[in-house]
Amino acid sequence: MLIRKRPGWEIAEREATDESLALSRRSFLATLGYGALGAMALGCDFRLSGAAADPKLRAEVAATIPPARPPFPFTRVPRFTLDRSLSDEIVAATYNNFYEFSAEKDQVWQLVDRFKPHPWTVEVGGLVSKPQTFAVEDLMRTMPMEERLYRHRCVEAWGMAVPWTGFPLRALLERVEPLPGAQYVRFLTFNRPEQAPGMKSQPWYRWPYFEGLRLDEAMNELTMLVTGIYGHELPKQHGAPIRVVVPWKYGYKSAKSIVKIELVDRQPPTFWETESPNEFPFESNVNPARPHPRWSQSTERLIGSMETRKTLLYNGYGEYVAHLYA
Ligand code: MTE
């Protein structure tokens, strides 16, 4: 990979010139018959330029996506509208940050075979009156499931827009009854190196992945636990069977494949903040005026297109969350 002990996504793709990255892209392109084009495309990711229109690749990726079957789809909430088109589902399913599998976004979907997201339970505990362990299917039966269109913004300066299916995290937290001392929520993800090759090949990271939010952020109506995307259950590469989505923060706050949610009284350490606190601080709200130490955050590229947009403060969700930071 690019730099040991450093997430590949620390470096905006357009700035990355590392030979190993270039070679891995070139070989992937070559398998798709884009050899010459691949050499020309170095430094700009081919899927951002729409090359995922390749029918053979699309069919291969589609095979990793679960079919739409009951209880999906759930009703879409009309109030969450978008200022851009939905991202191409196939592009979104091949452009993933999921370090448990690989640090290379275009590899993740090809490395998830052995991962078993069913059956799955989520333990909810810590500073709560009613700690409980929930099966994901039970959550889908008993929680207020709905579909919402959200923008998603990665710290690497790319964005996508997708329909998530899930429920407000608040509904789950209310079920376990937070105690007065609870101030933060800690998310812990799975630890299965035998199913997730990146955990073995990158032993320098502090597995399993862990993230956190303030309790008022977790209780905000935008914060969702999601089990589906594009009207079906989550493909493994998007964090099956359950992940959190926090649309006004950079994507690394949205931990995938969660096994434990714990309410705590102190700000918990987080995976990337522990690696590099100046680059990936706990709060991490999307903010065009606050550059990453090594690149600007003023614009973003929309995956699956050549379009560049101005980054929106709080990713455009200020009306829901600005008061949290007044
Ligand atoms: N969750 C886990 N467990 N492991 C990860 O590596 N990467 C994060 C986040 N959640 C990550 C994770 C980052 S950096 C981003 S941008 C989003 O997942 C990407 O989500 P997507 O692949 O569904 O677009």
Side-chain angles (χ1 to χ4, degrees), residues 131-244:
Q132 230 173 302
T133 297
F134 299 91
V136 170
E137 311 84 77
D138 291 341
L139 290 175
M140 287 183 55
R141 268 192 311 102
T142 57
M143 286 287 144
M145 297 289 292
E146 59 190 31
E147 184 178 77
R148 295 185 185 182
L149 306 182
Y150 274 176
R151 289 176 288 274
H152 171 95
R153 172 61 154 79
C154 181
V155 71
E156 297 165 311
W158 56 263
M160 63 177 187
V162 298
W164 297 111
T165 301
F167 56 89
L169 173 59
R170 180 169 62 192
L172 181 64
L173 296 181
E174 281 168 355
R175 249 169 94 171
V176 295
E177 298 179 6
L179 292 169
Q183 300 284 331
Y184 293 88
V185 180
R186 182 173 171 261
F187 303 94
L188 191 70
T189 75
F190 70 100
N191 192 8
R192 301 182 187 173
E194 70 293 351
Q195 294 183 19
M199 298 179 97
K200 275 195 180 152
S201 63
Q202 304 168 98
W204 51 87
Y205 288 127
R206 295 168 178 81
W207 307 113
Y209 194 94
F210 46 102
E211 251 304 334
L213 293 171
R214 288 176 4 197
L215 183 60
D216 58 353
E217 295 172 332
M219 296 293 262
N220 185 275
E221 64 180 306
L222 290 183
T223 308
M224 292 180 87
L225 279 179
V226 312
T227 58
I229 190 170
Y230 293 100
H232 51 69
E233 71 183 66
L234 287 173
K236 296 176 186 179
Q237 57 267 40
H238 281 301
I242 190 162
R243 71 180 285 179
V244 64

Side-chain angles (χ1 to χ4, degrees), residues 86-153:
L86 278 181
S87 302
D88 180 324
E89 176 171 11
I90 297 290
V91 174
T94 52
Y95 198 75
N96 304 103
N97 278 323
F98 206 169
Y99 271 62
E100 287 87 333
F101 296 92
S102 172
E104 303 273 2
K105 282 187 265 300
D106 60 3
Q107 304 279 307
V108 175
W109 68 278
Q110 301 172 76
L111 293 168
V112 293
D113 279 10
R114 269 179 288 149
F115 179 52
K116 300 269 173 285
H118 303 289
W120 194 279
T121 56
V122 183
E123 187 186 335
V124 190
L127 297 171
V128 300
S129 314
K130 297 184 173 164
Q132 230 173 302
T133 297
F134 299 91
V136 170
E137 311 84 77
D138 291 341
L139 290 175
M140 287 183 55
R141 268 192 311 102
T142 57
M143 286 287 144
M145 297 289 292
E146 59 190 31
E147 184 178 77
R148 295 185 185 182
L149 306 182
Y150 274 176
R151 289 176 288 274
H152 171 95
R153 172 61 154 79

Side-chain angles (χ1 to χ4, degrees), residues 240-254:
I242 190 162
R243 71 180 285 179
V244 64
V245 167
V246 195
W248 73 96
K249 293 182 179 283
Y250 291 121
Y252 51 88
K253 300 298 292 181
S254 295

Side-chain angles (χ1 to χ4, degrees), residues 41-59:
L42 298 180
C44 99
D45 190 272
F46 76 100
R47 269 158 286 96
L48 293 172
S49 62
D54 176 83
K56 200 164 143 257
L57 173 64
R58 292 188 74 85

